[in-house]
Amino acid sequence: MKNYFDLSGKVALVTGCSTGLGVQMAKALANQGAAIIAVARRQELIDKVAEEIHNEFDVDTLAIKCDITDTAQVEKAVATALDHFGRIDILINNAGTGAVAPAEDITDEQFSNELNIDLFGTFKMAREVAKKAMIPAGTGRIINIASMYGLVGNKQAPASPYHAAKGGVVNLTRALACEWGKHGITVNAICPGYFYTPLTKDTLDTEEFQAYAKSAIPMERYGVEGELDSAAIFLASDASSYVTGIMVPVDGGYTSM
């Protein structure tokens, strides 16, 4: 019997892998047999995550501290990963942030910071992993974590820098898929809807937002832990070998309305 989603022998680098959705997706890939490189800015958190994943799934893990907005740190992180594993088969670009404020009150610094982390940081990591690992290998899977807010606007939680950055990630995904397809690299994006993370919890827990979500989401609820896992596993596996340049909304139907 063939396991279409077997990742045994593969090495996955996951950014933003200190909390929330990054850790969930890293565990999902580890559950399919992938070795995990946990990348984030806080060493103590990724050390804990790497140890937890190793103990739970018996796969090799490595924790690398890296600020994805710093090109030198990105280059060093990828070099460290390659020194340890000799390969990077899967990249999940998950690190990100979110500024919520009316557009007329957004500062230059907020807008610049959002683009620098969510868009430019995603590009820096993809560029380095492709150049040093995937293009030489003639294969690779890049999964950018965009957002349903990269596909549509919204009236409830004004976040114009986030919309702009994630919209950029959406079309960056298409651009890289077109450029790197000849190298055997697929580049796709997952566009999550409302999921609980340290960044979203306070907003999602308000009565006002819960009432809004019930009317705006066809499934009338937020996403729960584990509901991004299957999309990540599919796009990381050989089962998606002819799938590239697509956006997969995992949003309970939000973007269908």
Side-chain angles (χ1 to χ4, degrees):
M1 184 181 296
K2 181 176 181 179
N3 177 358
Y4 285 92
F5 306 109
D6 181 25
L7 298 176
S8 300
K10 305 289 187 182
V11 176
L13 189 157
V14 183
T15 69
C17 196
S18 56
T19 60
L21 301 180
V23 175
Q24 291 174 32
M25 289 184 287
K27 287 186 174 183
L29 300 190
N31 187 58
Q32 299 305 117
I36 300 296
I37 304 159
V39 173
R41 291 177 298 172
R42 291 172 287 183
Q43 188 73 55
E44 69 280 3
L45 291 181
I46 52 174
D47 283 342
K48 182 180 177 182
V49 167
E51 181 181 12
E52 192 177 299
I53 290 174
H54 172 71
N55 291 339
E56 187 172 350
F57 301 102
D58 194 28
V59 297
D60 197 359
T61 60
L62 180 65
I64 303 177
K65 181 181 179 181
C66 176
D67 179 344
I68 63 166
T69 67
D70 186 316
T71 301
Q73 288 190 38
V74 169
E75 291 172 349
K76 183 179 178 183
V78 172
T80 300
L82 289 173
D83 284 345
H84 185 89
F85 288 106
R87 61 193 294 164
I88 301 171
D89 304 285
I90 301 156
L91 168 63
I92 297 186
N93 269 318
N94 171 69
T97 187
V100 177
E104 64 271 23
D105 296 328
I106 290 287
T107 66
D108 291 355
E109 290 74 21
Q110 284 176 307
F111 202 97
S112 177
N113 184 60
E114 194 85 40
L115 292 180
N116 204 25
I117 296 172
D118 288 9
L119 180 55
F120 201 4
T122 290
F123 174 73
K124 287 180 180 184
M125 187 60 73
R127 176 180 63 188
E128 191 65 14
V129 170
K131 182 188 293 187
K132 298 294 173 61
M134 293 181 177
I135 291 174
T139 186
R141 300 279 183 271
I142 296 175
I143 304 166
N144 296 324
I145 306 305
S147 169
M148 66 183 187
Y149 279 4
L151 302 171
V152 296
N154 96 94
K155 292 175 67 177
Q156 184 66 23
S160 54
Y162 186 77
H163 283 274
K166 292 302 189 180
V169 171
V170 164
N171 221 32
L172 175 66
T173 298
R174 297 187 184 109
L176 297 182
C178 291
E179 285 197 45
W180 293 341
K182 64 187 178 185
H183 298 297
I185 301 168
T186 66
V187 188
N188 296 291
I190 298 173
C191 298
Y194 297 126
F195 281 81
Y196 277 111
T197 72
L199 283 175
T200 64
K201 187 178 187 305
D202 288 345
T203 300
L204 297 187
D205 274 343
T206 64
E207 286 186 22
E208 179 187 14
F209 208 90
Q210 288 174 351
Y212 163 74
K214 191 164 186 178
S215 68
I217 303 170
M219 294 189 72
E220 298 188 352
R221 65 174 178 82
Y222 302 141
V224 299
E225 184 172 339
E227 289 190 316
L228 280 183
D229 292 359
S230 57
I233 291 168
F234 169 66
L235 293 175
S237 72
D238 290 341
S240 63
S241 57
Y242 201 54
V243 177
T244 195
I246 69 159
M247 314 306 132
V248 182
V250 185
D251 62 3
Y254 185 97
T255 51
S256 67
M257 291 175 64

